[in-house]
Amino acid sequence: MAETIYDVAVIGAGPAGAQAAVSASHQMRHVLVLHSGKVSFSRGRAYWSKSVEIEDAPVFPGIIGPNFAKELMRWMESRPVVDFMIGGEKRKTGIDIRDGLVLNLKRNGVLFELEASTKTLKRGREVAVEHFKSRTVVVAAGFDDKWPDIEFEPGEERLYKQYATVFRYAGNRKGWHVCIRCDGHLHVNEHLALLGVGDYIYEAAIGAQDFTDKITILTNGRPHGMSPPVLKQIRERKINIIETKIKRHIGEKTDLLGFEMIDGSELFFHGFLVDEGLIPNTKFLEGWDYQKDEEGLIIANEDMQMLDSKEAPIPGLFAAGDIISGERNLIATAFALGQEAGLSASDSLRRWHSPAEEANG
Ligand SMILES: Cc1cc2nc3c(=O)[nH]c(=O)nc-3n(C[C@H](O)[C@H](O)[C@H](O)COP(=O)(O)OP(=O)(O)OC[C@H]3O[C@@H](n4cnc5c(N)ncnc54)[C@H](O)[C@@H]3O)c2cc1C
């Protein structure tokens, strides 16, 4: 059987990746989607809104993260791969969806080669690695939120186990939120605890003012690290800063109620938000010369094409969603960027272009 060479390979099946895949297949492209949700704990950010309905995005009423992830999968599955004829040539269109954590992306001539781990890692089982080829790639792998270091045992092997207690409360109505814009409405006029340090966490406090003026910043044992102008405003706004280390969560089932502090005191709040930064899911781009910002988020042009250090578009390489620098980290934005990337990747595969474009190479 001839080796499959996809038109577009999409890395990630969140809203950005799903939209890129559907848009490209709608332009008659043969699309591969590789997503790590089942083979690793990197399930995508949308998944982590576990019990909070998504209200501000073009999705079904009452939908929560895990169901949203399933619906995106069904949407892509509605476009299976089929053959069609054009100009006497047999081609394929539709979406192949594969479980796979992309480990490495390489260019080989005009093609991209993707190396992916396609089975869940288990003790005693060899890593299952498969290779895929594609003419273009859309990176829609998003980022992982950094979770708070509370009841965290650095000795443990696996991330999920390390943060087991934190994850119990993550993304619930009364648990850890990571997006004040998304979940602030659940705590109108209630007391919010924001965990983080520096002027960075203050951004969350600025967002929180739309919902409440009862705000406490917890630094979990670190110096607050805020600049003098920020500190001045914090005092004027009567925002409390507590620098004591947190010993453990106080919770009931999946509801987080408060914390026991290292000095034995107990603090209770109505809502909890953590913003300790992010980890971009871009390890597979190691060795590539591409532009990124100080957080590691990808800088792309208006066609969502990635740029090299000389600001030249990298042929065939596009990106979309939360992984893009300077965009809002929200579902509707991810859909929009995904559509742009999927269409741009498709356009780049056209056999002929306008005379002006052809003259420009
Ligand atoms: C708790 C929480 C609540 C939120 N609530 C809202 C809300 O109410 N409204 C709103 O608009 N936004 C909300 N957001 C933000 C929203 O979830 C994100 O903006 C959106 O999911 C970004 O979409 P994305 O496709 O770019 O990335 P993601 O949804 O993060 O998807 C990334 C995909 O990439 C895959 N992946 C990662 N690494 C690899 C790899 N190496 N190989 C293969 N696949 C990989 C993952 O499995 C996943 O499929 C919330 C986020 C969180 C965490």
Side-chain angles (χ1 to χ4, degrees), residues 23-302:
S23 291
S25 101
H26 197 224
Q27 303 309 308
M28 311 307 285
R29 305 301 177 215
H30 188 194
V31 181
L32 167 71
V33 174
L34 284 166
H35 73 102
S36 59
K38 286 195 191 143
V39 299
S40 82
F41 289 111
S42 191
R43 292 173 185 276
R45 295 188 76 227
Y47 175 91
W48 283 109
S49 89
K50 284 189 303 196
S51 70
V52 177
E53 292 90 7
I54 295 158
E55 293 189 4
D56 59 341
V59 295
F60 316 100
I63 202 157
I64 56 167
N67 294 345
F68 179 41
K70 273 191 211 146
E71 289 302 330
L72 289 174
M73 209 53 78
R74 266 192 222 136
W75 187 35
M76 291 189 287
E77 281 163 2
S78 72
R79 309 191 68 91
V81 178
V82 291
D83 292 329
F84 72 106
M85 295 296 291
I86 183 165
E89 189 191 327
K90 193 165 129 186
R91 292 205 208 157
K92 286 184 190 298
T93 176
I95 306 174
D96 267 340
I97 309 169
R98 292 289 311 270
D99 296 327
L101 175 77
V102 177
L103 304 171
N104 197 1
L105 177 71
K106 275 199 208 125
R107 192 193 285 286
N108 189 352
V110 291
L111 296 182
F112 289 93
E113 284 183 4
L114 298 99
E115 184 182 83
S117 152
T118 50
K119 291 227 168 76
T120 317
L121 287 183
K122 286 210 174 117
R123 214 180 287 271
R125 187 204 272 176
E126 296 238 329
V127 182
V129 171
E130 290 185 55
H131 293 87
F132 304 88
K133 287 190 177 162
S134 181
R135 295 185 174 88
T136 63
V137 169
V138 175
V139 177
F143 59 76
D144 285 326
D145 296 282
K146 280 191 192 157
W147 294 102
D149 278 353
I150 306 171
E151 294 180 70
F152 156 73
E153 290 170 38
E156 290 277 346
E157 269 171 43
R158 301 288 293 268
L159 182 87
Y160 186 75
K161 276 195 188 152
Q162 281 176 352
Y163 287 105
T165 316
V166 176
F167 283 179
R168 184 168 123 208
Y169 302 114
N172 296 325
R173 294 186 76 82
K174 212 171 168 341
W176 284 115
H177 305 296
V178 295
C179 170
I180 190 69
R181 268 181 208 284
C182 308
D183 300 335
H185 68 281
L186 297 167
H187 301 292
V188 175
N189 213 19
E190 291 186 347
H191 194 170
L192 272 183
L194 310 180
L195 195 145
V197 285
D199 293 358
Y200 199 78
I201 193 63
Y202 191 58
E203 288 296 314
I206 291 171
Q209 69 175 290
D210 296 335
F211 310 100
T212 184
D213 57 0
K214 297 174 199 124
I215 300 168
T216 295
I217 294 175
L218 302 175
T219 70
N220 193 17
R222 294 160 295 179
H224 60 70
M226 285 173 208
S227 62
V230 162
L231 214 51
K232 182 169 171 279
Q233 208 180 63
I234 281 190
R235 301 251 150 81
E236 284 162 7
R237 298 274 158 217
K238 299 201 172 21
I239 295 171
N240 201 10
I241 302 179
I242 297 176
E243 291 179 320
T244 315
K245 192 162 172 50
I246 299 169
K247 187 173 171 201
R248 63 173 193 94
H249 297 81
I250 302 173
E252 217 172 69
K253 295 188 179 156
T254 56
D255 285 352
L256 180 57
L257 307 175
F259 307 107
E260 184 187 325
M261 311 302 280
I262 205 85
D263 62 7
S265 62
E266 291 183 345
L267 298 176
F268 295 92
F269 302 93
H270 299 107
F272 305 83
L273 181 126
V274 55
D275 197 350
E276 295 273 31
L278 56 89
I279 307 162
N281 292 323
T282 48
K283 265 205 179 128
F284 52 84
L285 287 174
E286 257 165 35
W288 281 82
D289 170 30
Y290 71 99
Q291 286 205 24
K292 55 185 168 193
D293 66 15
E294 66 284 356
E295 288 186 297
L297 299 178
I298 294 171
I299 297 173
N301 67 12
E302 67 280 6

